[in-house]
């Protein structure tokens, strides 16, 4: 067990890292953030900030020497950096697990190989793969870059072979995955923590609504039959076991025709788990600290139904939003990430509404959304 007072290292210093850092500092740990952004949201709460590239040897050396354990808050943390650090200190999750999650093609292959359900897809690495891909995947489809996509970025709608050839060429033929565009009934996510001894604790299944490829609203618990929630929990647990995962893992799933398909995984806490801060007995960020340090896992039970609304930079158009629209609701919790510059689509904060009556939580959350001037989802 890594005792409070020790220093923890964090690769990446965005909002997820900020909330991890708050949880770690609350438990009495020191935190060193490695992030090239001098205005890193996590660094504001950290005890140290290595303000360099993620692969900078001097920074990695510093983390290895001073940190009892190192974790990450974004999947594009270079897996090689994690693997190198793992030779000198505790690293959770492992570079190998992160490497699977950061490449859609490896990720889908891993899910399928382990007998877990995925939608129709095909890898496209060269022009010559297009023929076979179109034989496997019905149009309309979505082309996604295998690496570095997030919040709907690195994706294009494909209606024809000509579209596919054009977009693949425009993207300079980087490795891609072609996916059938599915008729989604619902999107859900399962976030869990798996400890080094294999113990797993799973947060309640969350129901997610996206707008323009970005998470908009999360409803917890998801309004799905108990049997489907149990199956989602089982699938996520099997995935974590297959990955020999140690850390907090998020699994995004689609409900199509009443059945579950795994979409993607994130080797870290997830935007759809922000509700756990205010609505669960242990938050996903405290859980990340606990797994990292080998402390007993916390109880993920939901104590109050909750609805989370993402706050994107778009609502800063006319200056600072009117926070009284949030703060006048007794059940609303406002979280802002301290980002200086509000850009459209940039995640600036979130609101979680906790109410004993789930219908009331949704009603208040949607009223806040409206009052803040958030555009209706498509
Ligand atoms: P990321 O979250 O990394 O940007 P996702 O694969 O999760 O990438 O895609 C973002 C959103 O786009 C999903 O949450 C879903 O709303 C939609 N989407 C992605 N893939 C499909 C698909 N195959 N069929 C229908 N909708 C999809
Ligand atoms: Mg996603």
């Amino acid at each position: 067990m890594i005792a409070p007072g020790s220093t923890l290292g964090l690769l990446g210093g965005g909002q997820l890292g900020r909330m991890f850092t708050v949880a770690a500092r609350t438990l009495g740990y020191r935190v060193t953030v490695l992030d090239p952004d001098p205005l890193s949201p996590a660094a504001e709460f950290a005890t140290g900030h290595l303000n360099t590239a993620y692969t900078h040897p001097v920074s990695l050396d510093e983390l290895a020497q001073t940190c009892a354990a190192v974790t990450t808050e974004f999947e594009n943390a270079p897996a090689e950096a994690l693997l190198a650090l793992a030779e000198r200190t505790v690293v959770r999750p492992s570079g190998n697990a992160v490497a699977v999650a950061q490449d859609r093609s490896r990720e889908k292959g891993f899910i399928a190989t382990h007998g877990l359900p995925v939608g129709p897809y095909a890898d496209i690495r060269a022009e010559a793969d297009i023929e076979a891909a179109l034989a496997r995947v019905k149009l309309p489809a979505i082309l996604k870059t295998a690496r570095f996509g997030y919040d709907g970025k690195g994706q294009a709608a494909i209606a024809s072979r000509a579209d596919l050839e054009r977009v693949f060429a425009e993207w300079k033929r980087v490795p891609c995955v072609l996916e059938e565009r599915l008729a989604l009934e619902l999107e859900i996510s399962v976030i869990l923590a798996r400890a080094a001894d294999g113990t797993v604790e799973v947060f309640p299944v969350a129901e997610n609504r996206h707008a323009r490829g970005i998470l908009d609203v999360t409803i917890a618990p998801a309004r799905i039959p108990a049997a489907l929630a149990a199956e989602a929990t089982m699938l996520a647990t099997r995935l974590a076991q297959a990955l020999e995962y140690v850390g907090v893992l998020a699994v995004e799933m689609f409900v199509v025709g009443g059945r579950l398909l795994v979409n993607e995984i994130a080797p870290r806490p997830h935007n759809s788990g922000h509700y756990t801060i205010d609505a669960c007995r242990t938050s996903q960020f405290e859980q990340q600290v606990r797994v990292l340090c080998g402390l007993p896992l916390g109880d993920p039970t939901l104590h109050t139904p909750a609805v989370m609304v993402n706050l994107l930079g778009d609502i800063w158009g006319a200056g600072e939003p009117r926070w009284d629209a949030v703060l006048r609701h007794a059940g609303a919790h406002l979280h802002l990430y301290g980002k200086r510059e509000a850009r459209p689509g940039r995640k600036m904060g979130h609101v979680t509404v906790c109410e004993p009556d789930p219908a009331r939580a949704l009603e208040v959350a949607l009223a806040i959304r409206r009052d803040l001037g958030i555009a209706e989802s498509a």
Side-chain angles (χ1 to χ4, degrees):
M1 186 187 113
I2 294 164
S6 311
T7 302
L8 308 177
L10 179 64
L11 254 65
Q15 64 270 9
L16 299 171
R18 178 182 175 99
M19 292 180 267
F20 165 85
T21 301
V22 170
R25 303 280 332 263
T26 301
L27 281 168
Y29 293 92
R30 300 170 62 79
V31 177
T32 301
V33 172
L34 170 53
D35 192 304
D37 181 1
L39 302 177
S40 149
E44 285 192 348
F45 285 94
T47 31
H49 182 191
L50 300 168
N51 189 198
T52 69
Y54 296 113
T55 47
H56 199 294
V58 174
S59 294
L60 293 176
D61 201 52
E62 170 90 11
L63 285 184
Q65 275 182 24
T66 60
C67 297
V70 174
T71 189
T72 170
E73 62 107 51
F74 79 131
E75 55 256 63
N76 292 324
E80 320 82 69
L82 293 173
L83 290 170
L85 282 168
E87 291 178 6
R88 303 174 64 189
T89 184
V90 173
V91 175
R92 292 174 178 163
S94 74
N96 291 329
V98 171
V100 171
Q102 69 188 192
D103 183 319
R104 278 188 204 283
S105 165
R106 284 189 68 181
E107 176 179 67
K108 298 233 177 244
F110 187 92
I111 296 164
T113 307
H114 286 84
L116 301 166
V118 272
Y121 82 96
D123 293 327
I124 300 187
R125 294 201 177 81
E127 201 71 37
D129 296 330
I130 287 183
E131 187 75 39
L134 287 173
R136 280 181 65 167
V137 177
K138 277 197 293 222
L139 298 176
I142 303 175
L143 188 67
K144 303 180 180 179
T145 57
R147 299 224 31 203
F148 304 116
Y150 69 99
D151 286 347
K153 294 189 179 72
Q155 300 193 11
I158 302 295
S160 64
R161 170 191 283 260
D163 275 356
L164 180 54
E165 285 169 353
R166 181 180 45 80
V167 175
F168 186 57
E170 271 172 21
W171 289 353
K172 311 245 183 315
R173 299 181 170 77
V174 292
C176 287
V177 166
L178 185 71
E179 289 182 26
E180 193 165 311
R181 177 177 288 284
L182 303 162
L184 310 183
E185 276 148 46
L186 211 60
E187 295 192 54
I188 61 171
S189 54
V190 180
I191 298 170
L192 58 75
R194 185 168 181 275
D197 68 359
T199 314
V200 173
E201 289 289 354
V202 189
F203 287 100
V205 178
E207 172 183 339
N208 302 318
R209 294 191 196 167
H210 293 77
R212 293 173 294 138
I214 309 177
L215 183 65
D216 178 18
V217 171
T218 293
I219 299 168
R223 297 167 299 176
I224 57 173
L228 201 63
E231 196 193 336
T233 299
M234 185 271 289
L235 291 177
T237 305
R238 275 177 52 198
L239 244 172
Q241 283 161 349
L243 276 168
E244 296 179 44
Y245 195 86
V246 181
V248 171
L249 178 75
V251 184
E252 296 181 13
M253 299 181 205
F254 297 145
V255 184
V256 177
R259 310 213 2 242
L260 295 173
L261 296 172
V262 177
N263 173 35
E264 61 170 353
I265 60 178
R268 50 167 173 79
H270 193 258
N271 195 167
S272 67
H274 291 355
Y275 79 87
T276 61
I277 297 175
D278 300 302
C280 292
R281 298 182 82 176
T282 308
S283 79
Q284 61 171 349
F285 300 102
E286 179 176 329
Q287 205 70 307
Q288 186 182 13
V289 178
R290 289 179 180 235
V291 196
L292 182 62
C293 297
L295 307 176
L297 293 183
D299 178 358
T301 306
L302 190 83
H303 54 68
T304 318
V307 177
M308 184 221 61
V309 177
N310 253 352
L311 304 176
L312 304 181
D314 309 62
I315 60 169
W316 270 254
E320 195 69 15
R322 290 185 36 234
W323 297 127
D324 55 318
V326 180
L327 299 171
R328 65 194 173 84
H329 296 282
H333 303 270
L334 178 62
H335 299 253
L336 293 169
Y337 309 146
K339 297 183 184 176
R340 310 262 181 96
E341 197 193 335
R343 291 189 296 270
R346 190 175 196 205
K347 289 174 179 169
M348 300 296 289
H350 69 268
V351 176
T352 302
V353 178
C354 295
E355 286 290 344
D357 172 11
R360 175 74 187 147
L362 183 58
E363 190 182 307
V364 173
L366 295 181
I368 288 173
R369 218 179 149 284
R370 240 183 351 260
D371 292 347
L372 288 174
I374 301 175
E376 273 317 306
S377 9

